[in-house]
Amino acid sequence: MKPVIVVHGGAWAIPDAFAEASVAGVKAAAQAGSEVLKRGGSALDTVEVAVRTMEDDPVFDAGHGAVLNADGEVELDAIIMEGKTLAAGAVSSVRNIANPVSLARAVMEKTDHIMLTGHGANLFAESIGVPILMPDALVTKEERKEWEHYKKYIVGVKELFNSQWGHDTVGAVALDSFGNVACATSTGGIRNKMVGRVGDSPIIGSGGYADNKSGAVSCTGHGESILKVTLARLILFHMDQGRTASEAAECSLQYMGERVQGGGGVIVVSPTGDWTATFTTERMAWAAMDGNLLYYGLNPKENIKETLN
Ligand code: ASP
């Protein structure tokens, strides 16, 4: 089986000021994941490494650089899932954890549960020796400034929500040389979200899903819309019906747009290595490594190809 990794850095109207850094970030993540695949590593290790790379990159709304909630604090959500066994782990509303995707993996591997939330997730992190950072350690100066700007100038909840949904969530899907698929998604959510709001990202079947029988998906975009249509599973349902990754992604995103007026983006890989990065927002930074070929894009229909040695 020829291994493949696809990553995204969030679907939204990425301003020009962030464009270059977002593309550089997804390319670096795809390459980091690809190194794992080349060494014969698992799809699960691959998606974890790729997502950690983006959590550590402050340009993305995940880990370091996450957006702030209505109280000006970071609350992070993440999921990881492996297609061989359908094992999954997730965390929601965790605070001051640098790499929520790895905490999600620990939930999957070290507990009898699938998701831990808030205080309990933080207690679990402490109990297994995951460092709890100082408050604000993950907050960038730019995000604090943006948050203050929105607090001051955007008052209506609807206006506030519409202006900011979809904000640089990160995700990865991979197929390894043994034919196993996996997915991971990690986010700070939406700026000024209510304290305790959980979006689609850590919810199995919505923000991500992986099944060796169908494929793996990671989603980004308006969380409440993605939840309503269980976007990741919807895409895999269409693939089970015989659609290609890109047909399934397109018709599912179109359905979400028509049915609940939500926009977003997805990355998908099938068990045979058919993959896509598709979105209905203005932009989505994405990259893929398929053999020695690196593909990436930011604008609709953009698909740039580079051969790496
Ligand atoms: N889906 C994420 C959420 O609603 C946001 C995003 O993808 O940008 O929390």
Side-chain angles (χ1 to χ4, degrees), residues 10-13 165-166 220-222 263-265 279-284 300:
W12 65 300
W165 61 260
T220 168
H222 183 231
F279 53 98
T280 51
T281 48
E282 269 176 50
R283 285 175 158 172
M284 179 175 85

Side-chain angles (χ1 to χ4, degrees), residues 55-287:
E55 287 176 337
D56 293 342
D57 184 337
V59 77
F60 299 117
D61 168 25
H64 186 209
V67 299
L68 302 177
N69 67 15
D71 275 1
E73 292 164 338
V74 165
E75 284 185 317
L76 305 167
D77 304 330
I79 190 169
I80 190 162
M81 182 164 186
E82 72 171 351
K84 187 178 176 187
T85 58
L86 304 190
V91 291
S92 60
S93 298
V94 290
R95 296 190 174 182
N96 311 321
I97 302 278
N99 295 109
V101 71
S102 296
L103 185 58
R105 182 163 179 179
V107 171
M108 170 177 133
E109 290 175 342
K110 296 185 197 309
T111 80
D112 294 332
H113 306 305
I114 286 188
M115 182 190 281
L116 292 178
T117 191
H119 181 55
N122 270 81
L123 284 180
F124 171 63
E126 268 181 68
S127 76
I128 58 166
V130 173
I132 309 292
L133 308 176
M134 295 298 285
D136 279 7
L138 299 172
V139 182
T140 60
K141 267 197 264 148
E142 293 75 21
E143 174 54 23
R144 181 64 70 193
K145 233 172 89 190
E146 284 286 292
W147 179 80
E148 270 154 16
H149 174 84
Y150 280 109
K151 271 265 171 252
K152 205 157 155 194
Y153 297 108
I154 301 185
V155 283
V157 173
K158 195 150 180 249
E159 183 189 3
L160 180 150
F161 208 70
N162 287 339
S163 64
Q164 295 159 76
W165 61 260
H167 198 296
D168 279 1
T169 290
V170 304
V173 293
L175 167 70
D176 64 28
S177 47
F178 311 101
N180 295 313
V181 296
C183 72
T185 308
S186 180
T187 191
I190 294 176
R191 184 177 298 123
N192 270 326
K193 63 187 180 182
M194 286 176 72
V195 176
R197 177 265 189 190
V198 177
D200 61 297
S201 308
I203 307 298
I204 189 166
S206 288
Y209 201 79
D211 183 347
N212 278 4
K213 292 189 172 170
S214 320
V217 180
S218 168
C219 300
T220 168
H222 183 231
E224 282 70 9
S225 300
I226 295 172
L227 282 163
K228 285 176 187 165
V229 301
T230 56
L231 186 59
R233 273 299 297 149
L234 182 63
I235 290 168
L236 294 177
F237 164 79
H238 285 300
M239 287 166 67
D240 290 343
Q241 305 295 307
R243 290 196 165 87
T244 65
S246 119
E247 286 164 0
E250 270 168 32
C251 76
S252 302
L253 282 167
Q254 193 186 338
Y255 175 76
M256 185 170 87
E258 286 164 7
R259 190 73 179 87
V260 296
Q261 292 75 53
V266 298
I267 48 173
V268 185
V269 68
S270 81
T272 56
D274 172 31
W275 62 269
T276 189
T278 304
F279 53 98
T280 51
T281 48
E282 269 176 50
R283 285 175 158 172
M284 179 175 85
W286 65 270

